[in-house]
Amino acid sequence: MIVIDNVHKAFGPKQVLRGVSMLIPEGETTVIIGRSGTGKSVLLKLIVGLLEPDEGTITIDGRRVDLMSESERYQMRRRFGYVFQGAALFDSMTVADNLVLGLYEHGERNTEVLREEVVRNLVNVGLLPDPRTVSASVFNQAYEILANKKPAELSGGMRKRVGVARALVGSPEYIFYDEPTTGLDPITSEQIDDLVAALTHKLDVTSVVITHDIFSVYKVAHTVIMLDEGLIRFRGTPLELRSSHDPVVHEFLERYAHSHAEVP
Ligand SMILES: Nc1ncnc2c1ncn2[C@@H]1O[C@H](COP(=O)(O)OP(=O)(O)OP(=O)(O)O)[C@@H](O)[C@H]1O
Ligand SMILES: [Mg+2]
């Protein structure tokens, strides 16, 4: 379990997080919502260790991150998969190379191992069929076509899936998604929501999703956390969110409710 205790973070004079405390239960999907610029991505970067808090602590399975040695932190980061805001794939690299870049940097050179990881995770995100359901030659053909494509040759939804597949490489226990549906049309957004929800169960991982998309909240969240002005404004289930009487919560729901959203 990840425990965030009284975390503060400023950039120069700009105080972004002002004392955030929360815990991320295992095996569930926690969704973080909040207005643009309120510190959601900063919070995610603090959790995964891309940024350091000015004050407060982050504890993972009972171990304080700030007290870990370099090698412990390195090991810990390998337990995290991160789907960056806006996919962030390398345009000059093929799909396969984008996926294995992290493993390669960690010293993995066995081409069979690398290919296995690419195959397994492209199947996991639904970009390739389950190899048990098609003939080997059809599967290999589909693999070769996709693995050798460059990100620019893919649709927005496919790029998101590749970004998710890359985060899954190395079998992380935690997957962090930063705005996985932003910029996608409603149908593709829903497919990505379905994927996020399915992966939490199928791979038995803990997921943390940042989103503006209120439809995603109802689709994937076990717990919703709303950040506002550097503090946690709301924590509860999606149903509790919907019935909240907090005017700030209300305003957010009104503003970000997509017209296509069928709120339960
Ligand atoms: N590395 C950085 N250096 C300086 N300021 C930063 C840095 N990272 C974030 N900020 C500032 O911190 C504030 C919060 O940024 P953050 O990216 O967390 O917002 P967000 O809630 O993710 O917004 P959005 O919904 O638009 O992605 C912003 O004002 C941003 O400019
Ligand atoms: Mg952000």
Side-chain angles (χ1 to χ4, degrees), residues 189-254:
S189 293
E190 196 175 349
Q191 290 168 347
I192 296 293
D193 288 335
D194 287 337
L195 175 66
V196 171
L199 288 175
T200 303
H201 296 293
K202 184 177 161 196
L203 304 179
D204 193 23
V205 292
T206 302
S207 303
V208 180
V209 182
I210 290 180
T211 189
H212 273 127
D213 187 344
I214 205 64
F215 190 54
S216 297
V217 174
Y218 294 114
K219 195 100 197 207
V220 307
H222 296 102
T223 302
V224 190
I225 289 171
M226 181 172 172
L227 269 185
D228 187 57
E229 301 195 346
L231 289 168
I232 291 184
R233 183 82 195 195
F234 171 89
R235 179 195 172 92
T237 63
L239 269 178
E240 287 164 348
L241 180 79
R242 196 164 59 105
S243 49
S244 166
H245 295 298
D246 183 335
V248 174
V249 172
H250 255 259
E251 196 206 321
F252 180 86
L253 295 182
E254 289 294 312

Side-chain angles (χ1 to χ4, degrees), residues 167-179:
L168 297 177
V169 166
S171 304
E173 296 159 52
Y174 293 90
I175 309 178
F176 299 90
Y177 300 88
D178 198 345
E179 308 265 8

Side-chain angles (χ1 to χ4, degrees), residues 11 14 16 35-42 85 179 212:
F11 295 100
K14 189 173 172 51
V16 178
R35 285 181 297 188
S36 199
T38 199
K40 303 181 299 297
S41 295
V42 166
Q85 192 161 0
E179 308 265 8
H212 273 127

Side-chain angles (χ1 to χ4, degrees), residues 20-88:
V20 168
S21 299
M22 60 188 256
L23 47 87
I24 298 171
E26 266 165 44
E28 292 191 359
T29 302
T30 299
V31 173
I32 301 172
I33 58 175
R35 285 181 297 188
S36 199
T38 199
K40 303 181 299 297
S41 295
V42 166
L43 180 61
L44 218 54
K45 286 176 185 160
L46 285 162
I47 297 171
V48 300
L50 292 171
L51 290 172
E52 303 260 331
D54 299 332
E55 207 186 310
T57 58
I58 295 166
T59 306
I60 296 167
D61 296 341
R63 305 267 303 126
R64 262 174 65 172
V65 175
D66 58 321
L67 301 179
M68 287 181 185
S69 66
E70 264 312 303
S71 77
E72 277 178 297
R73 278 187 203 214
Y74 177 81
Q75 288 305 325
M76 182 199 70
R77 277 186 204 142
R78 297 197 69 173
R79 297 168 59 192
F80 295 155
Y82 200 113
V83 182
F84 289 91
Q85 192 161 0

Side-chain angles (χ1 to χ4, degrees), residues 82-175:
Y82 200 113
V83 182
F84 289 91
Q85 192 161 0
L89 300 169
F90 290 98
D91 289 334
S92 62
M93 290 167 56
T94 64
V95 165
D97 288 344
N98 264 287
L99 258 65
V100 299
L101 185 64
L103 288 180
Y104 196 84
E105 282 178 347
H106 285 124
E108 183 60 67
R109 292 293 184 275
N110 184 327
T111 50
E112 270 309 300
V113 171
L114 295 173
R115 186 189 144 111
E116 275 300 304
E117 273 295 288
V118 175
V119 166
R120 190 169 62 81
N121 290 306
L122 290 176
V123 171
N124 270 335
V125 300
L127 283 172
L128 287 177
D130 183 331
R132 290 166 302 191
T133 64
V134 293
S135 72
S137 72
V138 166
F139 184 84
N140 287 332
Q141 225 178 321
Y143 171 83
E144 290 302 328
I145 291 170
L146 179 62
N148 291 305
K149 280 206 155 71
K150 298 275 176 65
E153 298 173 83
L154 305 173
S155 68
M158 288 172 86
R159 277 201 294 275
K160 288 279 159 132
R161 282 177 196 267
V162 172
V164 176
R166 182 176 60 185
L168 297 177
V169 166
S171 304
E173 296 159 52
Y174 293 90
I175 309 178

